[in-house]
mmCIF file of all heavy atoms in Angstrom:
data_model
loop_
_atom_site.group_PDB
_atom_site.id
_atom_site.type_symbol
_atom_site.label_atom_id
_atom_site.label_comp_id
_atom_site.label_asym_id
_atom_site.label_seq_id
_atom_site.Cartn_x
_atom_site.Cartn_y
_atom_site.Cartn_z
ATOM 1 N N THR A 57 95.096 62.399 39.239
ATOM 2 C CA THR A 57 95.223 61.658 40.512
ATOM 3 C C THR A 57 93.997 61.063 41.073
ATOM 4 O O THR A 57 92.839 61.575 40.765
ATOM 5 C CB THR A 57 95.910 62.572 41.565
ATOM 6 O OG1 THR A 57 95.019 63.684 41.726
ATOM 7 C CG2 THR A 57 97.273 63.050 41.068
ATOM 8 N N ASN A 58 94.138 60.066 41.930
ATOM 9 C CA ASN A 58 93.039 59.487 42.632
ATOM 10 C C ASN A 58 93.508 59.105 43.991
ATOM 11 O O ASN A 58 94.664 58.746 44.167
ATOM 12 C CB ASN A 58 92.634 58.293 41.869
ATOM 13 C CG ASN A 58 91.292 57.677 42.373
ATOM 14 O OD1 ASN A 58 90.463 58.349 42.838
ATOM 15 N ND2 ASN A 58 91.165 56.337 42.255
ATOM 16 N N TYR A 59 92.618 59.273 45.014
ATOM 17 C CA TYR A 59 92.985 59.092 46.394
ATOM 18 C C TYR A 59 91.910 58.210 47.104
ATOM 19 O O TYR A 59 90.739 58.318 46.770
ATOM 20 C CB TYR A 59 93.138 60.413 47.162
ATOM 21 C CG TYR A 59 94.205 61.287 46.679
ATOM 22 C CD1 TYR A 59 93.895 62.295 45.708
ATOM 23 C CD2 TYR A 59 95.490 61.116 47.105
ATOM 24 C CE1 TYR A 59 94.876 63.121 45.233
ATOM 25 C CE2 TYR A 59 96.518 61.919 46.632
ATOM 26 C CZ TYR A 59 96.273 62.926 45.670
ATOM 27 O OH TYR A 59 97.242 63.750 45.215
ATOM 28 N N ALA A 60 92.404 57.429 48.033
ATOM 29 C CA ALA A 60 91.482 56.716 48.909
ATOM 30 C C ALA A 60 90.849 57.724 49.833
ATOM 31 O O ALA A 60 91.379 58.742 50.111
ATOM 32 C CB ALA A 60 92.275 55.709 49.726
ATOM 33 N N ASP A 61 89.597 57.430 50.220
ATOM 34 C CA ASP A 61 88.804 58.370 50.987
ATOM 35 C C ASP A 61 89.565 58.729 52.317
ATOM 36 O O ASP A 61 89.479 59.826 52.800
ATOM 37 C CB ASP A 61 87.464 57.838 51.271
ATOM 38 C CG ASP A 61 86.557 57.815 50.083
ATOM 39 O OD1 ASP A 61 86.830 58.599 49.134
ATOM 40 O OD2 ASP A 61 85.545 57.127 50.063
ATOM 41 N N SER A 62 90.254 57.758 52.846
ATOM 42 C CA SER A 62 90.860 57.911 54.179
ATOM 43 C C SER A 62 92.075 58.876 54.151
ATOM 44 O O SER A 62 92.451 59.351 55.217
ATOM 45 C CB SER A 62 91.408 56.541 54.675
ATOM 46 O OG SER A 62 92.271 56.002 53.744
ATOM 47 N N VAL A 63 92.574 59.258 53.028
ATOM 48 C CA VAL A 63 93.739 60.176 52.897
ATOM 49 C C VAL A 63 93.415 61.435 52.139
ATOM 50 O O VAL A 63 94.275 62.288 52.010
ATOM 51 C CB VAL A 63 94.916 59.407 52.243
ATOM 52 C CG1 VAL A 63 95.226 58.132 53.025
ATOM 53 C CG2 VAL A 63 94.759 59.135 50.785
ATOM 54 N N LYS A 64 92.207 61.564 51.543
ATOM 55 C CA LYS A 64 91.915 62.763 50.819
ATOM 56 C C LYS A 64 92.115 63.960 51.678
ATOM 57 O O LYS A 64 91.596 64.039 52.804
ATOM 58 C CB LYS A 64 90.442 62.615 50.310
ATOM 59 C CG LYS A 64 90.258 61.823 49.058
ATOM 60 C CD LYS A 64 88.889 61.738 48.543
ATOM 61 C CE LYS A 64 88.705 60.879 47.383
ATOM 62 N NZ LYS A 64 87.305 60.777 46.961
ATOM 63 N N GLY A 65 92.748 64.978 51.085
ATOM 64 C CA GLY A 65 92.947 66.235 51.850
ATOM 65 C C GLY A 65 94.192 66.200 52.623
ATOM 66 O O GLY A 65 94.599 67.267 53.135
ATOM 67 N N ARG A 66 94.834 65.044 52.828
ATOM 68 C CA ARG A 66 95.991 64.926 53.701
ATOM 69 C C ARG A 66 97.256 64.498 52.854
ATOM 70 O O ARG A 66 98.371 64.922 53.177
ATOM 71 C CB ARG A 66 95.722 63.999 54.800
ATOM 72 C CG ARG A 66 94.616 64.349 55.721
ATOM 73 C CD ARG A 66 94.571 63.400 56.994
ATOM 74 N NE ARG A 66 94.301 61.999 56.611
ATOM 75 C CZ ARG A 66 95.217 61.020 56.989
ATOM 76 N NH1 ARG A 66 96.289 61.301 57.659
ATOM 77 N NH2 ARG A 66 94.926 59.786 56.673
ATOM 78 N N PHE A 67 97.018 63.588 51.948
ATOM 79 C CA PHE A 67 98.093 63.116 51.085
ATOM 80 C C PHE A 67 98.080 63.673 49.673
ATOM 81 O O PHE A 67 97.034 63.941 49.128
ATOM 82 C CB PHE A 67 98.016 61.616 50.972
ATOM 83 C CG PHE A 67 98.287 60.873 52.235
ATOM 84 C CD1 PHE A 67 98.379 61.492 53.522
ATOM 85 C CD2 PHE A 67 98.439 59.435 52.245
ATOM 86 C CE1 PHE A 67 98.628 60.793 54.666
ATOM 87 C CE2 PHE A 67 98.639 58.719 53.374
ATOM 88 C CZ PHE A 67 98.810 59.386 54.609
ATOM 89 N N THR A 68 99.225 63.860 49.104
ATOM 90 C CA THR A 68 99.330 64.358 47.716
ATOM 91 C C THR A 68 100.356 63.487 46.971
ATOM 92 O O THR A 68 101.502 63.384 47.415
ATOM 93 C CB THR A 68 99.752 65.817 47.675
ATOM 94 O OG1 THR A 68 98.805 66.589 48.411
ATOM 95 C CG2 THR A 68 99.804 66.266 46.242
#
Side-chain angles (χ1 to χ4, degrees):
T57 58
N58 188 30
Y59 296 94
D61 288 342
S62 60
V63 306
K64 280 181 181 176
R66 300 189 297 123
F67 290 11
T68 303

